[in-house]
Structure formats: structure tokens, C-alpha cells
Amino acid sequence: MELSESNSPRDNELWEEIEKSERYLVSCMYEEAASTSSSVLRKLWEATSIELESSRHKPTLENGFEKEDDRESGIKEEDNLEVNDMLEAAAMVFIQAYKHTNRTRDIFQDLKPLFGSVSLIPYSIILTGVCLQVHEGESLIARDTLDEFFEGWIFSQDKSCYILLEAERKKAPWGRIWTCSHLPRKKYMQIIELYTFSVLVKGLKNAQLALNWLKKADLLEEERQDMALKIRSVLSLKEANSDTSHKQEASKGKDHLLNNAETGVLHMGKASSESNNRSKNTEICGTLKQNKAVSKISRLLESLSLWFPTINLRLGNLHIAMPWSNIIFVCATMFLLVYGLKRKREFVKRNLRNRLGALRRTLIDFWQLAFNVQVNPLAAVQPLPSSTHMSR
């Protein structure tokens, strides 16, 4: 049955299958979604082929008969729109299912037999599929796809839009061309920007290749100059960024050396400070230990003072308060001293005697040395010298 009938059972069946494929996609049943959408595309091919064969047997001219070109291009506009909507809906499910099954690189390779040529694939499908491939890092495959797409289109000065070549029209499996056979300049320029900037400049990182391709592209001179200017601005921006990155790397190297030197100095400072801290810590620990010992003794004395009351003595205006603990402590100390002296009394006496004897001998020797006078025992019997008598 022909698709020109808006409420035909064939149309309803195809739309139901498209909705079914969309439900598969939402339910994460990606293989079923891909197979169902591709089945819709094949059924569209078969249905439109049958319609074409039936329409070819009714040739007409302008007065009751229609030209074949008009029949293929514009007579059944509603039919073309219906087919175009079905194609885009089914193909969109197809490419999304391929994306989720990690087959992005095979999108156009498997869509091409269903459409007959890459140039016959609708504009929205081309744009979405290439964006997915660039995002997945398949820039080379996207480049080959768009190169094949551009080969099938040519700019028409009369219509101010891009139209399919006759050779590409004959590849259509549906046997006729629908509304996407004419592509406005705005949409065509969007695909060119995607090709030059996303695929060649960003994906393949080859701006010079993009400039060389623009020289041969089927574009108006103004559009060509605008695109070239944009690419050169991107190149200059990249060069500025590269210079900045080189300077940053050099400064980072210097900073790294300075940081290493500072780190060495800091390590040395930390080592010296750690040694000082260790010595200080040892001193503090010793002081703390002493303080702990003193505090223990003081706490012991305080605990003893609680057991023994204080004795208060009054001598006139003098008031003496002596705790029993201090009195006991003094008495015990004296007792220990007396006991030790008794035990060591002989030793102390002998030691004291020896020390006193040594002191006495030392004093005697000192006395003798200080007052020693040699006396002549014959002085009493010897006469005085003659000089002495004469003087008398």
C-alpha cells in the first residue's frame, strides 16, 4: 500500500515499530533497539520501491500529464515529509543504540547500505553521528565519512542552497529523493564547521590540513575567508598557549630547584631544632622527674601531718606552732645520728686521734723551722778577739 495515504495501515505499523525500538532504547535493550530500527529502514525501502514502480506506469504531461522529475521531487510533498520523519526517527534510535554498545565507529558503515550513500543520510543523523565519533576519539573515521558526504553535494547559484548530485540520487534505495535532497547553506556550513574545527583541528590536531581543504571546498569566497580567519585565530591562540606553557614549565623547573634548596635548608633547620628539642625535652623530663619526687615527698609529709596534730607553745609574746610530724622527724634523725656514732665510736676516735697527732706534728715541725738558732758550746771558754781588748 502506498505511503501517501496519511492513515494507511502500513504507516501505522512502521510508526509502531519505531516506538517499539524507542522503548527498547529506554529500557537499555540496545541490541533489540538497533535491530528493530534497522528493520524499519529496510521496510521503508521496500514500501517506497513498490510505490515508485506503481507510479512509473502513470506518466503524464503538464495538461493532464506530469513530468517524471516533478513526480520525483515535489508532487508528493506530504509523502516525502512522512518518509523523512520515519527515516530520521529510526536512524536516531539506531545510532544511539550503537553508541551504548560501543560500536560508534561502525555507525555510518552500517547505515550506508540502508540509505545507499552517506550523502543520502539526513542532515541531523550526520551531525549527531559525527559528534559521537569525535567524542569517542574516532576522528579519522569521522573525516572519511564527511569527505564522502561532501562529494555528493554541490552549490546551486539559482536556488542558493546545496543539492544532491545526479549520481547520488540514483543510489537512493527508495528510488526517489525526499525533502533532504536540498540542504540550506546554514546547515551545510554547520557541517563544514564540524569538519574543520572538531574533526581536523581539535580531533586530528592538523590546522594546516583544514586550511588546505578550505581552498578546494565548494564555498562562497566570503564564507571561505571567514572560516580561514577562524582557523588562524585558533592557531595563534594555540601558539600563545604553547609559549605560555613553556614559560610555565621553565618557571616550574626553577621553582622546583628553589623548593628543593629550601627543603634542604628546612630539613637542616628541622634536624637542629629536633636536636634542640630533644635536649630540651630531656631537661624537661629530668625536671619533671625531680618535681615528681619532690611532690611525692611533700604529699607524704602532708599525709603524715594529717595523722599528727600541731603543738602550740607560748613563751610570753612568742608563739611557736610545731607539728608532731616535724618533731618526730627531728627526733628520728637525731636517734639515727647517735646510733651511728655509737656504732662507729672506735673508728671515729681512732680517726680523730690520728688527725690530731698529724696536726700536732705539723705544728712542731713548723715551730722548729721558724725559731731554730745554732748555739756554739765553746763560746763560754774562748777569749774575746784582740780588737775588743784594745778598744777597752
Side-chain angles (χ1 to χ4, degrees), residues 148-216:
E148 187 175 351
F149 176 82
F150 291 134
E151 289 176 359
W153 294 88
I154 188 171
F155 182 70
S156 174
Q157 295 286 347
D158 298 335
K159 298 181 180 180
S160 297
C161 65
Y162 289 85
I163 60 175
L164 276 170
L165 296 174
E166 188 64 27
E168 295 296 322
R169 295 187 181 203
K170 292 179 181 179
K171 294 179 182 178
W174 293 274
R176 62 174 181 180
I177 304 303
W178 54 97
T179 54
C180 66
S181 61
H182 297 77
L183 197 60
R185 285 173 52 191
K186 184 178 180 180
K187 292 184 178 180
Y188 193 82
M189 289 303 299
Q190 288 178 354
I191 297 177
I192 287 180
E193 288 182 1
L194 177 66
Y195 179 74
T196 53
F197 288 100
S198 299
V199 177
L200 298 181
V201 178
K202 294 182 180 179
L204 300 178
K205 302 185 185 305
N206 195 340
Q208 190 60 42
L209 179 62
L211 291 173
N212 295 335
W213 182 85
L214 279 176
K215 295 177 182 178
K216 302 176 183 179

Side-chain angles (χ1 to χ4, degrees), residues 16-255:
E16 287 177 0
E17 290 193 22
I18 291 172
E19 291 177 358
K20 183 179 179 180
S21 66
E22 291 175 350
R23 288 196 296 270
Y24 282 141
L25 186 65
V26 174
S27 302
C28 300
M29 302 172 67
Y30 303 121
E31 293 293 341
E32 291 81 357
S35 62
T36 305
S37 58
S38 61
S39 174
V40 171
L41 294 174
R42 291 190 187 93
K43 288 179 180 179
L44 279 171
W45 183 356
E46 295 173 0
T48 51
S49 298
I50 294 171
E51 179 190 0
L52 179 65
E53 291 296 329
S54 62
S55 63
R56 281 180 178 174
H57 295 299
K58 300 176 182 179
T60 58
L61 297 175
E62 285 189 6
N63 299 326
F65 294 91
E66 295 179 354
K67 296 180 181 179
E68 184 177 357
D69 294 339
D70 293 334
R71 184 178 67 250
E72 291 183 358
S73 60
I75 293 299
K76 298 179 180 179
E77 188 68 23
E78 294 180 357
D79 189 11
N80 288 336
L81 289 173
E82 185 76 14
V83 173
N84 191 44
D85 291 340
M86 289 182 181
L87 288 172
E88 289 187 358
M92 193 64 70
V93 174
F94 184 86
I95 62 176
Q96 291 183 67
Y98 265 49
K99 175 189 179 297
H100 290 290
T101 53
N102 298 323
R103 290 183 290 174
T104 308
R105 60 181 300 143
D106 300 329
I107 288 175
F108 296 106
Q109 182 180 353
D110 293 342
L111 277 180
K112 183 178 177 180
L114 299 175
F115 283 88
S117 173
V118 175
S119 301
L120 295 171
I121 299 175
Y123 156 80
S124 59
I125 305 303
I126 284 287
L127 204 65
T128 306
V130 170
C131 288
L132 290 176
Q133 287 181 342
V134 172
H135 180 71
E136 296 293 333
E138 303 292 344
S139 298
L140 282 173
I141 297 174
R143 177 192 172 187
D144 295 338
T145 301
L146 290 179
D147 284 339
E148 187 175 351
F149 176 82
F150 291 134
E151 289 176 359
W153 294 88
I154 188 171
F155 182 70
S156 174
Q157 295 286 347
D158 298 335
K159 298 181 180 180
S160 297
C161 65
Y162 289 85
I163 60 175
L164 276 170
L165 296 174
E166 188 64 27
E168 295 296 322
R169 295 187 181 203
K170 292 179 181 179
K171 294 179 182 178
W174 293 274
R176 62 174 181 180
I177 304 303
W178 54 97
T179 54
C180 66
S181 61
H182 297 77
L183 197 60
R185 285 173 52 191
K186 184 178 180 180
K187 292 184 178 180
Y188 193 82
M189 289 303 299
Q190 288 178 354
I191 297 177
I192 287 180
E193 288 182 1
L194 177 66
Y195 179 74
T196 53
F197 288 100
S198 299
V199 177
L200 298 181
V201 178
K202 294 182 180 179
L204 300 178
K205 302 185 185 305
N206 195 340
Q208 190 60 42
L209 179 62
L211 291 173
N212 295 335
W213 182 85
L214 279 176
K215 295 177 182 178
K216 302 176 183 179
D218 188 13
L219 297 172
L220 296 177
E221 191 62 28
E222 296 179 358
E223 295 171 345
R224 194 193 320 275
Q225 294 296 330
D226 291 340
M227 293 294 296
L229 184 61
K230 290 179 182 179
I231 294 173
R232 290 191 182 94
S233 63
V234 171
L235 277 175
S236 61
L237 183 61
K238 283 187 175 181
E239 290 176 357
N241 290 333
S242 63
D243 294 339
T244 306
S245 63
H246 288 314
K247 291 179 182 179
Q248 288 178 353
E249 288 177 359
S251 63
K252 283 180 181 179
K254 292 180 182 179
D255 293 339

Side-chain angles (χ1 to χ4, degrees), residues 209-374:
L209 179 62
L211 291 173
N212 295 335
W213 182 85
L214 279 176
K215 295 177 182 178
K216 302 176 183 179
D218 188 13
L219 297 172
L220 296 177
E221 191 62 28
E222 296 179 358
E223 295 171 345
R224 194 193 320 275
Q225 294 296 330
D226 291 340
M227 293 294 296
L229 184 61
K230 290 179 182 179
I231 294 173
R232 290 191 182 94
S233 63
V234 171
L235 277 175
S236 61
L237 183 61
K238 283 187 175 181
E239 290 176 357
N241 290 333
S242 63
D243 294 339
T244 306
S245 63
H246 288 314
K247 291 179 182 179
Q248 288 178 353
E249 288 177 359
S251 63
K252 283 180 181 179
K254 292 180 182 179
D255 293 339
H256 183 66
L257 293 175
L258 292 174
N259 290 331
N260 289 336
E262 290 177 358
T263 305
V265 173
L266 288 174
H267 284 316
M268 294 174 64
K270 285 181 180 179
S272 61
S273 62
E274 286 177 358
S275 62
N276 294 331
N277 290 331
R278 289 195 194 98
S279 62
K280 289 179 181 179
N281 290 332
T282 52
E283 293 176 0
I284 291 170
C285 290
T287 307
L288 290 175
K289 288 180 180 179
Q290 293 176 359
N291 293 334
K292 286 182 180 180
V294 172
S295 63
K296 284 182 181 180
I297 295 171
S298 63
R299 284 197 298 270
L300 180 61
L301 293 176
E302 289 177 359
S303 61
L304 289 173
S305 65
L306 295 175
W307 287 94
F308 300 99
T310 303
I311 298 175
N312 295 318
L313 298 176
R314 283 184 177 277
L315 298 175
N317 295 327
L318 184 63
H319 178 264
I320 300 173
M322 295 182 65
W324 270 104
S325 58
N326 293 346
I327 296 172
I328 293 173
F329 180 73
V330 171
C331 293
T333 304
M334 293 179 65
F335 175 76
L336 290 174
L337 288 174
V338 171
Y339 179 76
L341 288 174
K342 280 187 176 182
R343 292 290 302 271
K344 302 292 183 179
R345 183 174 57 185
E346 296 298 331
F347 174 75
V348 171
K349 283 183 179 181
R350 185 169 57 252
N351 192 11
L352 185 59
R353 192 182 298 114
N354 291 333
R355 289 183 179 279
L356 291 174
L359 181 61
R360 179 173 171 273
R361 285 193 300 271
T362 302
L363 291 173
I364 291 171
D365 293 337
F366 176 73
W367 184 267
Q368 288 178 356
L369 289 172
F371 299 99
N372 187 15
V373 178
Q374 294 182 359

